[in-house]
């Protein structure tokens, strides 16, 4: 990846894990110094739709760089094997987008606002997974050698994703047994608890008490969090765990 020439792994604690989100399976590796992540790398498999290597660079906990190199099937016809070669490099300053470039099959074009936003959401989700693994790697008591942490990730079912409008959806984790899925159109929110059928909350008019409401649930979104309330009065704070764009969502070919 351009911009990743420094060997940040030297003298760092290395934490490894894996997770599954829908049809996407991912192995990840984080390099930490003084307990703070400097780089998180992900190796994603989209099954028949391709794969991608993704690198997040951080400084003092803020996203500084996002790099992606992958092969995706879908959209307009690509190379002879049916895949498009995607490269995306984005630079940030204090977490805010600064500049970047994208190529599709070697043809350079501008990154979209959706891709920039997706990179930021994916970085936040990667930090959340690392935080979930913290007790495991800290208890190992290792400062410079490898620490292995496998984080169990039981995400929402395919049915919940379908109800939300599968494709570009955002997954929030409220607890080990409770997830919510926000559809790409943001017109509905699906709540799924373990061993129960998922239910759909509809977007409410501006000024209503809840942003989404229905089936005994009310939800309010604030940035990267959702406050989910049950009719009984119980409330949950739900945080993003997956916001990867669908592998078939390819940008148009630059002319």
């Amino acid at each position: 990846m351009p911009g990743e020439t420094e060997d940040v792994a030297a003298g760092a604690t290395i934490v490894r894990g894996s997770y599954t989100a829908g049809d996407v399976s991912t192995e990840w590796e984080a390099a930490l110094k003084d307990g703070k992540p400097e780089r998180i790398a992900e190796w994603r498999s989209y099954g028949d739709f391709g794969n991608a290597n993704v690198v997040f660079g951080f400084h003092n906990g803020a996203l500084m760089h996002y790099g992606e190199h992958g092969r995706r099937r879908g959209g307009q016809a690509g190379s002879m094997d049916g895949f498009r070669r995607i490269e995306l490099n984005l630079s940030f300053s204090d977490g805010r987008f600064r500049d970047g470039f994208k190529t599709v099959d070697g043809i350079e074009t501008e990154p979209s606002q959706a891709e920039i936003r997706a990179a930021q959401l994916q970085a936040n989700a990667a930090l959340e997974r690392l935080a979930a693994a913290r007790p495991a790697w800290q208890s190992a008591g290792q400062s410079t050698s490898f620490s292995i942490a496998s984080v169990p990730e039981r995400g929402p079912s395919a049915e919940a994703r379908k109800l939300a409008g599968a494709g570009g959806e955002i997954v929030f984790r409220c607890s080990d047994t409770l997830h919510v899925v926000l559809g790409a159109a943001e017109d509905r929110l699906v709540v799924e608890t373990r061993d129960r059928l998922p239910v759909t909350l509809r977007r409410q008019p501006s000024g209503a008490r809840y942003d989404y409401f229905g089936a005994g649930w009310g939800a309010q979104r604030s940035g990267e969090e959702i406050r989910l309330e049950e009719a009984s009065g119980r409330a949950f704070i739900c945080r993003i765990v997956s916001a990867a764009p669908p592998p078939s969502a390819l940008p148009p070919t630059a002319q």
Side-chain angles (χ1 to χ4, degrees), residues 239-255:
R239 296 181 172 88
I240 290 176
V241 293
S242 175
S248 59
L250 292 172
T253 304
Q255 299 297 327

Side-chain angles (χ1 to χ4, degrees), residues 57-71:
F58 299 94
H59 179 67
N60 288 332
L63 179 63
M64 299 295 290
H65 175 257
Y66 174 93
E68 177 182 350
H69 183 78
R71 298 166 62 250

Side-chain angles (χ1 to χ4, degrees), residues 20 47 102 112 146-147 210 227 234 241 243:
T20 301
K102 174 181 66 177
S112 68
F146 289 99
S147 172
Y210 297 107
R227 178 181 172 83
R234 287 195 307 166
V241 293

Side-chain angles (χ1 to χ4, degrees), residues 86-90 97-104 107-116 250-255:
I86 309 296
E87 185 174 350
L88 185 62
N89 277 275
L90 308 175
F97 177 69
R98 189 176 63 199
D99 54 45
F101 70 90
K102 174 181 66 177
T103 64
V104 180
I107 302 174
E108 187 166 341
T109 183
E110 291 293 323
S112 68
Q113 288 299 315
E115 288 166 325
I116 294 167
L250 292 172
T253 304
Q255 299 297 327

